[in-house]
Amino acid sequence: MEQQLKDILHQVKLLASDVKSLQDIEQLRVKFLGKKGELTVVLRGMGALSKEERPIIGKLANEVRTDIERLIKHANDELVSIEKGIKLKKEKLDVTMPGQTYEIGKKHPLTLVIEEVENVFLGLGYQIAEGPEVELVKYNFEALNIHEGHPARDEQDTFYIKPDVVLRTQTSPVQIRVMENKKPPIKIICPGRVYRSDAVDATHSPVFHQIEGLVVDKGITMGDLRGTLEVFAKSMFGEDTNIRFRPHHFPFTEPSAEVDVSCWNCNGEGCKVCKGEGWVEILGAGMVHPKVLKNCGIDPEIYSGFAFGLGVERTAMGRFGIDDLRLLYENDVRFLKQF
Amino acid sequence: MKVPISWLADYVKIEGNIKDYSDMMTMSGSKVEGYEKPFHEITNVVTGKITEITSHPDADKLVITKVDVKTDLLQVVTGAKNISIGDIIPIALHNSTLPNGVVITKGKLRGVESNGMMCSIAELNLTKNDFPLASEDGIFILPKDTKLGVDIKEILGLDDTVVEFEITSNRPDCLSIIGLARESAVTIGKKFELPNISLLEKGKGTAKDYINVTIEDYELCKRYTGKVITDVIIKQSPLWMRKRLRDAGVRPINNIVDITNYVMLEYGQPMHAFDLNYLKEKNIVIRRAKENEIIHTLDDQKRILNTQNLVIADGDKAIAVAGVMGGANSEVNNDTTKILFESANFDGVSVRLTAKQLGLRTESSARFEKGLDPYNANKALLRACELVEKLDAGKVVPGIIDCYKELPAKKIVPFRPKKMNEFLGTSIKEQTMIDILTSLDFEVDKGKMEIAIPTFRSDVEAWADISEEVVRFYGYNNIKASLQSGNRATQGIKTYEQRIRDTIRESMLAMGLMEIYTYSFTSRKVFDKLLLKDDSKLRETVVITNPLGEDFSIMRTTTIPEMLQVISHNYNRRIAKASFFETSNTYHPIKNEKLPLEKNILTMGLYGDYNFYSIKGIIEKLADTLGITDVRFVADSNNPSYHPGRCAQIKVNEDVIGTIGEIHPDVADNFEVPKRSYIGELDIEKLYKLTSVLKSYKGLPKYPEVDRDLAMVVDESVLAYDIEQVIKSNGGDLLQNVTLFDVYRGEQVGENKKSMAYALSFRANDRTLTDEEVNKAVKEILSKLDSEIGAILR
Ligand SMILES: [Zn+2]
């Protein structure tokens, strides 16, 4: 009987290694383990065994059954995995064929620049202030120390609605409105649309955008202005960026400066972007003129402040290498998709 | 301001290379735009004397000459007519260069060797203004005493470097050689002092014997100074003066006019010369013009004046528009023998307005309008007289005419070094400040701690301005960077409204719309193109009084035209399909208010392979994102710009927050956009109030939904909205969702009918629903659909 069991196991081993399909496996199972299967038949003869032999053969029979089950499962697993492999092979795709297209909108390059600047200053604790585009002369000029007779007020530069109402020529009037209504500390940036009487060409537009910043508090220094603009320049143009102040004149700041950053394209070596200078002018800045503070009801003996401004169009053109400002307002899809 | 370096060198010596000097000047506040040697293209051109002229054997029009250039005797063939033996001429040698890239080499002319070319003034890029006695088209014959073999640039003074400065509007004192010399001296660490002027004054009598001057309006004329010159001989001014004027961009005319221009450039004080022989009354009055008073100005134009203009009159007759231009009736000409030099101080605003009114902006008015120093007037006048004597142009009469009521005293302000350092974030020593200020002609009184501001610096008023004076020479870039240490913290956050706008933009982008930026002004013509009625509110506009043109003459009241222009632009470039959005303002006048209402509008535009439901879906998804429920779309057939059957007002409660629809086919034609273009407009400010950004979580359902589909046939005129309303209002608490999933028209449903299929889902929060419960609810819905809108279940 022991020999019979060993023969069965041997037989199963042979057959299991040769199964071709899931049916073969089922047949194998029925043939040996089924109700009339060979193992079952052998086990039924156990009754004829002696008391001593029974436990030994019984144990052996169980081991054989376990082995057979294991063999069948193994054969089954192998077969399933082969069939899976075949199926996967059949499903092979040409991965070089184009992907399905999804339409996604793109932010306008001017928005990209505005948001980038906003994010730098939000991180520094600034708020974003807004104001009207059609503005009183009082706010656009007078409060900013630009008096009657100043060339900036000329009709050649400014669009007039009425003698005392203009299309704002800068976002600075927003600063005045904030200072009139809020006690220091004031830390704001004012992005917005501004207007100047320039005919449309590759570098001019009667409509353009500015972002101005204003900080007013006790003990604000020109060193703080420099520090702030350094942080800004590094955030916008990279950690290695340097800045340079050049004396200039703005009616609403004193001292005033034009601010250059080291050329992001050539790192100051001189190239087309910086016209060989190694520096690119990006900002106007200065300490808020004491008269401007006074105009807004802030005592310049107690408080001081700084202000700065940059042209969004010019920054976008420099940043993205756009050579014609008109592209920004033409809105050709082939242009917009590039950002 | 163009500055020849040689002129500047009369007052301060500039050493080292010009680039370093330019950089230093830029960094101390006098921005250098550029510099050049205007005649750097001329090389290897020297003076030579013609010693022999013989005829050419093979050409009638040519001659063979011998030219002595000191080191050599050259054979030169020329076709020139105006030369004779003994003439000294400029000769371009072998391998010489001339302006505009011309290169001269030796060669043969009709078989005869020629070793150079004789030059005309034109070939040297000069004009008769520079050299009035030169031949217009012949060879340039130089004076008999000219040295031979010398570089022509040296002879003609063409070797100067000219630096161009950009002068900011607050520094009229720097619109002069003297002003820039002062700045240069402080910048490069040298001393600057204005030289004293002494005159011989060989003229007879005294100035008052020749002319009487009265100022009637001291408000517009603070000071009037004058000197008389007799025995004037009008001739060309010397080469050095013509050269400097030309390099500075001023056309030389004659000695007297050149002197007035020279002094204007040098001192920054405009001057004028009157021919005294033409002043009949000898009585100069500075007064406001009479209404409609007429003057013929130097440029031969008839000018009509009014009482806002200031004139210089001789008795009753105007002889100059003060500070702007002289009159033709007293102009210096070749017969002039006696002149009055005027050096006056006119009010800046008045000169500016007069120049603007007459459309006549001159070098003189440009300086006056910035506000000049009255103390400079007499200095400039004396300098002009000095030049008269130097040029031997006439005899200066002793005595000066000097009229004024009161001259402004020097402003005295406190000297506050501590405040200045605190303000700048520096620790500049007090003595350093004093040194810088003193070199700029400020007077510092250390005892009183006061500063006297020089009268030519009307831009400086208080400690902030004085800080700038100090720091621009201390070095802007020597200020150490700091970051408001120890200051009060502020919140860096966007406002609620700003965040809503961000969400709107993100939603638009996610739905594939491209962001655009368009101009805020437009033309009135667009209202007709939009088919707006004559009484449309949108025709009430904010008007620009000085627009760039009709197309940019009003502020827009609707954003549709610009959106359509963008669609048209892209459509015309064969882009088959696109969708856009813009967030921007429209502008609407308000009665009795100075400033208009500025409405923030979201505009959407779609064309190519879209339909009405595309734009509607965008609005629905946006509303959903913003948490706005109860958005309704109400058919609007009265909006003239839209297709009458394909337009809807967007309503929340009873408030209209926007419009969507297909553009009217005629409007589409007017703007050259495809017929099936879709536009949406949404009032962003109205969204602020409706939006609920604070979302609150609702528990996920614990029990399953039961779904039922209903297909019904209704009349064509029945609106989907009405069906939905009936279903929703009769579905009870269990009804969760109603979705239209199919609309069918055809024979099976009959004419003027449509079949509408809805998917309904039911659910209870506390139990699994039974079929009976759902059936009961459906039955109720069906019965109301039948009774209220005559729907028949299919
Ligand atoms: Zn570069």
Side-chain angles (χ1 to χ4, degrees):
Chain A
M1 202 164 192
E2 193 182 328
Q3 190 54 46
Q4 271 180 308
L5 285 170
K6 281 181 179 163
D7 285 349
I8 286 171
L9 188 59
H10 181 66
Q11 239 186 321
V12 172
K13 268 183 190 160
L14 282 179
L15 288 170
S17 66
D18 203 30
V19 289
K20 296 275 184 300
S21 67
L22 292 173
Q23 283 109 305
D24 290 356
I25 289 173
E26 182 57 19
Q27 274 173 22
L28 196 64
R29 203 184 61 76
V30 172
K31 183 164 181 323
F32 292 97
L33 300 177
K35 277 182 184 165
K36 289 172 188 166
E38 287 182 29
L39 183 65
T40 320
V41 172
V42 172
L43 289 178
R44 275 196 201 124
M46 287 257 292
L49 293 174
S50 69
K51 231 175 156 183
E52 292 76 28
E53 273 181 318
R54 216 177 281 165
I56 298 163
I57 296 297
K59 193 173 169 244
L60 181 66
N62 269 331
E63 280 170 14
V64 168
R65 169 179 278 273
T66 312
D67 281 351
I68 291 172
E69 282 170 346
R70 192 173 45 78
L71 282 169
I72 288 175
K73 181 169 186 299
H74 180 74
N76 182 65
D77 287 353
E78 209 152 78
L79 210 61
V80 167
S81 107
I82 287 167
E83 281 186 1
K84 252 191 208 162
I86 291 166
K87 186 171 180 246
L88 291 180
K89 220 170 192 176
K90 274 191 198 157
E91 289 176 353
K92 186 182 176 183
L93 293 180
D94 177 358
V95 297
T96 66
M97 274 168 48
Q100 185 184 336
T101 52
Y102 296 90
E103 286 300 330
I104 181 166
K106 292 295 187 76
K107 284 179 189 169
H108 193 280
L110 294 177
T111 297
L112 291 173
V113 169
I114 292 170
E115 284 191 345
E116 206 174 342
V117 176
E118 282 178 352
N119 286 336
V120 173
F121 286 102
L122 284 167
L124 292 171
Y126 287 62
Q127 285 172 21
I128 302 168
E130 294 158 309
E133 293 170 25
V134 184
E135 184 57 284
L136 297 171
V137 162
K138 185 175 101 175
Y139 288 117
N140 192 71
F141 292 131
E142 264 143 46
L144 288 160
N145 209 19
I146 306 169
H147 298 293
E148 183 82 49
H150 192 280
R153 289 176 71 152
D154 219 53
E155 280 188 22
Q156 280 160 358
D157 295 306
T158 306
F159 290 117
Y160 279 85
I161 304 299
K162 292 174 196 144
D164 56 349
V165 178
V166 296
L167 300 186
R168 67 177 178 194
T169 58
Q170 50 206 356
T171 49
S172 322
V174 181
Q175 304 181 6
I176 301 295
R177 286 173 176 271
V178 171
M179 283 192 279
E180 276 189 351
N181 290 306
K182 195 176 177 300
K183 288 259 155 303
I186 293 169
K187 263 173 110 173
I188 52 164
I189 53 165
C190 322
R193 196 170 265 236
V194 299
Y195 303 84
R196 284 193 203 160
S197 189
D198 285 322
V200 182
D201 67 22
T203 53
H204 294 90
S205 167
V207 178
F208 60 102
H209 295 76
Q210 271 190 343
I211 303 176
E212 293 194 16
L214 172 75
V215 173
V216 180
D217 203 356
K218 286 176 189 162
I220 299 294
T221 71
M222 197 158 170
D224 296 333
L225 170 62
R226 190 177 177 93
T228 302
L229 295 183
E230 249 174 39
V231 170
F232 168 69
K234 286 179 194 299
S235 314
M236 285 286 285
F237 303 103
E239 268 308 306
D240 300 332
T241 308
N242 291 315
I243 62 168
R244 180 176 85 167
F245 277 32
R246 272 183 291 106
H248 197 66
H249 169 69
F250 303 112
F252 36 92
T253 52
E254 190 82 27
S256 305
E258 282 184 328
V259 183
D260 301 333
V261 297
S262 52
C263 180
W264 53 83
N265 192 46
C266 65
N267 287 321
E269 305 269 314
C271 71
K272 240 182 153 180
V273 171
C274 56
K275 298 186 188 86
E277 292 284 316
W279 297 94
V280 184
E281 186 198 322
I282 56 154
L283 292 152
M287 299 303 289
V288 181
H289 200 295
K291 280 189 185 174
V292 173
L293 292 177
K294 217 182 267 174
N295 289 342
C296 301
I298 295 173
D299 185 352
E301 288 297 325
I302 300 172
Y303 295 101
S304 54
F306 62 73
F308 54 86
L310 86 161
V312 178
E313 276 76 359
R314 204 144 61 118
T315 309
M317 288 171 81
R319 199 157 188 67
F320 303 117
I322 299 166
D323 51 7
D324 192 330
L325 200 157
R326 285 169 287 206
L327 286 165
L328 293 167
Y329 290 93
E330 210 170 68
N331 302 296
D332 192 304
V333 169
R334 295 163 298 179
F335 170 80
L336 298 173
K337 275 189 174 160
Q338 295 179 29
F339 299 96
Chain B
M1 172 90 191
K2 284 181 169 176
V3 175
I5 283 291
S6 71
W7 198 346
L8 204 58
D10 284 359
Y11 296 96
V12 58
K13 198 111 192 97
I14 310 297
E15 285 148 1
N17 88 39
I18 200 75
K19 171 151 194 355
D20 291 346
Y21 165 73
S22 299
D23 288 348
M24 286 169 81
M25 288 300 283
T26 294
M27 296 311 285
S28 72
S30 306
K31 188 178 183 186
V32 173
E33 287 279 289
Y35 51 86
E36 62 161 1
K37 283 181 181 279
F39 292 93
H40 69 276
E41 285 180 305
I42 301 176
T43 64
N44 220 11
V45 180
V46 301
T47 51
K49 187 178 196 170
I50 300 167
T51 58
E52 193 184 311
I53 302 178
T54 52
S55 54
H56 192 292
D58 297 323
D60 293 345
K61 293 192 170 162
L62 296 178
V63 292
I64 302 165
T65 68
K66 289 273 159 52
V67 178
D68 177 5
V69 294
K70 198 170 177 194
T71 51
D72 209 348
L73 191 64
L74 301 172
Q75 173 170 297
V76 176
V77 179
T78 177
K81 297 278 181 302
N82 67 327
I83 51 166
S84 43
I85 291 173
D87 282 350
I88 298 174
I89 44 90
I91 176 132
L93 303 176
H94 175 58
N95 281 337
S96 59
T97 57
L98 293 176
N100 308 318
V102 177
V103 177
I104 304 296
T105 52
K106 66 181 173 187
K108 284 184 175 176
L109 280 174
R110 291 287 189 98
V112 178
E113 193 178 275
S114 180
N115 293 300
M117 186 186 83
M118 299 180 192
C119 301
S120 66
I121 50 170
E123 277 152 346
L124 296 172
N125 225 5
L126 299 167
T127 66
K128 274 185 80 82
N129 284 317
D130 304 308
F131 297 97
L133 302 177
S135 159
E136 184 84 62
D137 41 14
I139 299 303
F140 185 8
I141 313 292
L142 299 164
K144 291 284 174 216
D145 56 354
T146 307
K147 280 187 198 148
L148 303 186
V150 182
D151 191 313
I152 193 70
K153 285 191 287 184
E154 197 183 318
I155 294 292
L156 300 180
L158 305 180
D159 48 359
D160 212 350
T161 301
V162 177
V163 181
E164 184 160 11
F165 288 94
E166 181 196 311
I167 306 298
T168 52
S169 62
N170 59 326
R171 294 299 303 273
D173 64 302
C174 283
L175 285 172
S176 70
I177 302 291
I178 298 279
L180 285 166
R182 186 183 289 112
E183 289 286 324
S184 299
V186 185
T187 302
I188 63 176
K190 296 208 167 171
K191 274 227 158 344
F192 167 83
E193 254 173 272
L194 205 54
N196 275 323
I197 290 170
S198 58
L199 297 173
L200 301 173
E201 302 194 319
K202 288 184 174 166
K204 285 189 190 112
T206 174
K208 295 205 171 68
D209 305 337
Y210 296 83
I211 195 87
N212 181 47
V213 176
T214 320
I215 300 177
E216 272 188 9
D217 195 318
Y218 284 104
E219 200 187 318
L220 299 190
C221 178
K222 286 194 191 68
R223 188 177 196 182
Y224 194 97
T225 68
K227 272 189 84 76
V228 174
I229 316 290
T230 58
D231 304 281
V232 171
I233 301 157
I234 300 292
K235 55 187 175 185
Q236 71 168 318
S237 50
L239 180 61
W240 62 266
M241 182 177 275
R242 299 200 311 270
K243 171 196 106 56
R244 284 183 177 178
L245 289 174
R246 183 195 57 224
D247 283 348
V250 173
R251 200 162 58 100
I253 293 170
N254 61 44
N255 51 357
I256 296 298
V257 175
D258 289 358
I259 285 171
T260 59
N261 285 330
Y262 190 88
V263 171
M264 174 179 73
L265 293 170
E266 196 172 56
Y267 277 68
Q269 167 70 46
M271 290 191 60
H272 189 67
F274 294 102
D275 186 333
L276 269 181
N277 292 334
Y278 287 89
L279 302 191
K280 297 283 178 300
E281 306 275 334
K282 312 290 181 212
N283 186 22
I284 285 196
V285 181
I286 296 101
R287 59 162 168 84
R288 284 175 188 262
K290 293 165 203 151
E291 201 63 37
N292 295 321
E293 186 168 358
I294 286 169
I295 182 169
H296 287 267
T297 42
L298 280 175
D299 55 355
D300 233 9
Q301 299 280 316
K302 185 174 133 182
R303 309 281 178 180
I304 300 167
L305 307 175
N306 65 37
T307 56
Q308 297 306 306
N309 309 132
L310 190 71
V311 295
I312 315 300
D314 172 36
D316 220 22
K317 183 180 65 176
I319 53 171
V321 182
V324 181
M325 194 178 262
N329 50 12
S330 57
E331 185 183 3
V332 170
N333 59 56
N334 287 336
D335 304 327
T336 299
T337 57
K338 262 191 294 180
I339 59 163
L340 169 71
F341 270 140
E342 165 198 290
S343 182
N345 190 273
F346 301 118
D347 177 66
V349 174
S350 158
V351 170
R352 187 181 66 88
L353 293 175
T354 299
K356 201 174 133 189
Q357 172 198 325
L358 300 178
L360 189 61
R361 204 155 177 273
T362 58
E363 286 270 353
S364 165
S365 72
R367 283 178 169 77
F368 275 122
E369 70 182 40
K370 294 188 174 72
L372 297 180
D373 174 18
Y375 289 94
N376 199 29
N378 56 328
K379 289 179 198 159
L381 182 65
L382 296 181
R383 172 64 170 154
C385 293
E386 185 183 42
L387 288 166
V388 165
E389 291 183 347
K390 189 171 177 186
L391 267 52
D392 218 0
K395 291 179 180 167
V396 178
V397 173
I400 184 166
I401 288 156
D402 191 355
C403 302
Y404 56 86
K405 193 194 231 163
E406 194 184 13
L407 293 178
K410 275 188 185 173
K411 263 178 288 178
I412 310 284
V413 298
F415 177 39
R416 303 174 65 184
K418 184 166 169 280
K419 174 87 181 167
M420 281 156 65
N421 271 326
E422 279 170 8
F423 180 63
L424 295 170
T426 52
S427 39
I428 305 170
K429 291 200 182 73
E430 194 177 308
Q431 191 54 46
T432 309
M433 293 186 180
I434 293 171
D435 291 345
I436 291 170
L437 292 169
T438 308
S439 63
L440 288 167
D441 282 3
F442 289 74
E443 292 156 32
V444 183
D445 185 330
K446 275 182 87 170
K448 289 186 182 162
M449 287 303 269
E450 279 178 352
I451 301 177
I453 298 165
T455 53
F456 59 82
R457 290 302 304 274
S458 59
D459 60 309
V460 177
E461 293 182 333
W463 55 268
D465 313 295
I466 294 167
S467 301
E468 180 173 81
E469 293 307 298
V470 169
V471 80
R472 67 193 176 94
F473 293 102
Y474 169 78
Y476 269 42
N477 296 300
N478 292 327
I479 297 175
K480 286 206 182 59
S482 55
L483 268 181
Q484 295 123 269
S485 46
N487 249 295
R488 290 176 281 181
T490 48
Q491 281 182 309
I493 50 164
K494 289 190 176 183
T495 62
Y496 170 80
E497 288 81 5
Q498 286 160 353
R499 279 177 287 147
I500 300 288
R501 288 206 299 271
D502 284 353
T503 306
I504 292 171
R505 175 182 281 125
E506 298 299 340
S507 304
M508 291 295 119
L509 296 171
M511 288 186 275
L513 281 69
M514 310 295 276
E515 190 182 22
I516 61 170
Y517 276 63
T518 62
Y519 281 179
S520 339
F521 26 63
T522 184
S523 159
R524 270 201 189 81
K525 285 182 209 144
V526 299
F527 299 137
D528 292 339
K529 286 166 88 175
L530 285 174
L531 312 177
L532 295 185
K533 295 189 187 81
D534 288 344
D535 61 351
S536 168
K537 274 284 239 185
L538 296 181
R539 286 183 186 266
E540 291 168 20
T541 60
V542 174
V543 182
I544 300 167
T545 57
N546 57 331
L548 281 177
E550 210 282 320
D551 284 349
F552 293 158
S553 60
I554 54 165
M555 300 304 284
R556 61 181 170 188
T557 53
T558 160
T559 51
I560 297 178
E562 284 74 32
M563 180 56 81
L564 292 177
Q565 275 156 20
V566 171
I567 290 177
S568 174
H569 171 95
N570 284 284
Y571 178 65
N572 285 325
R573 277 156 190 78
R574 296 173 176 275
I575 291 153
K577 173 185 175 183
S579 58
F580 304 101
F581 78 98
E582 177 174 30
T583 49
S584 56
N585 288 352
T586 58
Y587 311 81
H588 311 270
I590 310 172
K591 249 198 180 149
N592 302 324
E593 291 277 348
K594 285 225 182 283
L595 298 185
L597 170 69
E598 295 182 20
K599 272 200 217 173
N600 202 220
I601 302 290
L602 168 66
T603 317
M604 292 143 284
L606 289 65
Y607 78 93
D609 196 24
Y610 287 106
N611 59 44
F612 176 85
Y613 301 102
S614 312
I615 186 103
K616 182 175 173 184
I618 289 170
I619 301 291
E620 285 172 331
K621 188 51 84 181
L622 176 65
D624 182 46
T625 308
L626 293 173
I628 303 175
T629 47
D630 305 331
V631 178
R632 277 197 300 140
F633 296 83
V634 181
D636 181 1
S637 55
N638 294 319
N639 191 321
S641 306
Y642 288 89
H643 188 306
R646 297 180 172 192
C647 172
Q649 289 185 334
I650 309 165
K651 277 188 169 179
V652 176
N653 306 323
E654 277 318 298
D655 201 10
V656 178
I657 62 165
T659 304
I660 54 165
E662 184 175 310
I663 205 72
H664 193 288
D666 294 345
V667 175
D669 286 345
N670 291 341
F671 285 92
E672 294 173 47
V673 299
K675 287 280 183 318
R676 305 289 184 217
S677 294
Y678 298 88
I679 296 287
E681 308 161 83
L682 211 52
D683 186 333
I684 293 176
E685 259 132 89
K686 288 191 173 166
L687 295 180
Y688 295 150
K689 278 169 236 141
L690 300 167
T691 300
S692 40
V693 276
L694 281 177
K695 313 263 174 173
S696 66
Y697 158 78
K698 278 191 211 117
L700 298 179
K702 291 196 182 71
Y703 298 92
E705 279 183 355
V706 178
D707 298 327
R708 288 291 152 88
D709 291 350
L710 297 182
M712 69 202 84
V713 174
V714 293
D715 282 350
E716 188 63 70
S717 62
V718 174
L719 299 181
Y721 176 78
D722 298 336
I723 298 174
E724 259 174 53
Q725 285 306 109
V726 173
I727 295 174
K728 279 180 184 168
S729 54
N730 294 290
D733 294 343
L734 303 179
L735 180 63
Q736 300 293 317
N737 231 324
V738 183
T739 314
L740 175 68
F741 69 90
D742 189 39
V743 180
Y744 174 78
R745 294 178 178 84
E747 275 177 34
Q748 283 153 297
V749 292
E751 215 170 295
N752 280 327
K753 301 264 181 195
K754 58 189 173 186
S755 163
M756 313 273 279
Y758 286 88
L760 278 53
S761 64
F762 297 88
R763 195 183 62 227
N765 288 332
D766 54 351
R767 64 192 190 280
T768 302
L769 289 177
T770 61
D771 271 353
E772 290 79 61
E773 284 177 286
V774 176
N775 289 345
K776 196 178 155 214
V778 171
K779 204 177 156 194
E780 178 62 21
I781 290 168
L782 285 175
S783 98
K784 286 284 163 26
L785 280 171
D786 179 22
S787 64
E788 289 181 18
I789 49 177
I792 299 157
L793 190 70
R794 283 189 81 202

